[in-house]
Amino acid sequence: MDTTRFAPSPNGMLHLGHAYSAIVAHDLARDGGGRFLLRIEDIDGERSRPELAATFRRDLEWLGLQWKEVPPQSTRLASYDAAARQLIEQGLLYPCVCTRKEIEAANPRMGPDGPVYPGICKGRSVDPSKPAALRLDVERALAQTGELTWLDEVAGEQPADPRQFGDVVLVRKDQPASYHLAATLDDAADGVTLVTRGMDLFPATHIHRLLQALLDLPVPRWHHHKLLLDEAGRKLAKRRDSPSLADMRDQGMDGIELAERLRSGVLPAGISLGSA
Ligand code: GLU
């Protein structure tokens, strides 16, 4: 019996890609008699619009899903802080005052999330009056954990490869935790046993697996599902013109029927399911 979750960020309306993701997570839990959780990931200070959470709930209801909502990330800051402290005590985090411009000027290689931090602040003392992010010393962390693996239900056993990200930010300058730290801690706290999300977050799991080992957290399984793509083969995005579920609702579309169509792979015109 699995516990799965749908963890949207309230920084834009949900679209068909989110509907698909929520349905996959919901059905995987339901089919085995498990639990499906909704967690609002609302710690992105600048972009977060808390009022969207109510719209998300209406969207899920419209799709005919049942869920249990767990506390939003904004109520869990103390746990992120405690974990960061634990990593600092292990000597695994270092302060970084670099701006994006400085990092780009160092000609970094590209990783799954953009430029890989070239270690400018590693081992140097930084001006404590400057706002600093905290980065994970990935080599040091791996020296402590040894090589790790994780299990994706679709793609099979994966060797964890967090090095491709370099020293990721775990505590942002403007925010108590990065996505990687917050989501990993929350999944453990919420008892999630099967982390379901889109293939776009497949690489992030390498980091999450490392954090689980460092923080002694239970290790779930993962199910990364294919993404819905637009006519140009790009994943649907909040910022592009993907119609929102709220718009479809307002136009009188039947959400339960839509959910059934998504389940059976009957997609609206111009939308396809990615190959990976
Ligand atoms: N909050 C993330 C998003 O909206 C999803 C995180 C996850 O599923 O791990 O893209």
Side-chain angles (χ1 to χ4, degrees), residues 10 13 40 42 47-58:
M13 303 288 238
I40 305 293
D42 59 349
R47 294 170 56 212
S48 203
R49 289 162 52 202
E51 71 280 7
L52 286 179
T55 311
F56 293 0
R57 289 181 205 109
R58 277 203 294 280

Side-chain angles (χ1 to χ4, degrees), residues 100-121:
R100 190 166 299 183
K101 255 193 181 159
E102 280 167 323
I103 297 172
E104 269 156 24
N107 232 342
R109 72 178 161 89
M110 289 307 276
D113 249 0
V116 172
Y117 184 63
I120 304 164
C121 284

Side-chain angles (χ1 to χ4, degrees), residues 162-185:
R163 288 184 181 92
Q164 58 182 299
F165 283 85
D167 291 351
V168 283
V169 168
L170 292 190
V171 179
R172 283 172 38 170
K173 284 181 188 167
D174 56 345
Q175 204 177 276
S178 70
Y179 156 66
H180 296 304
L181 183 60
T184 303
L185 288 168

Side-chain angles (χ1 to χ4, degrees), residues 5 7-9 41 179 197 201:
R5 71 354 177 235
S9 304
E41 304 212 319
Y179 156 66
R197 57 185 171 212
L201 288 169

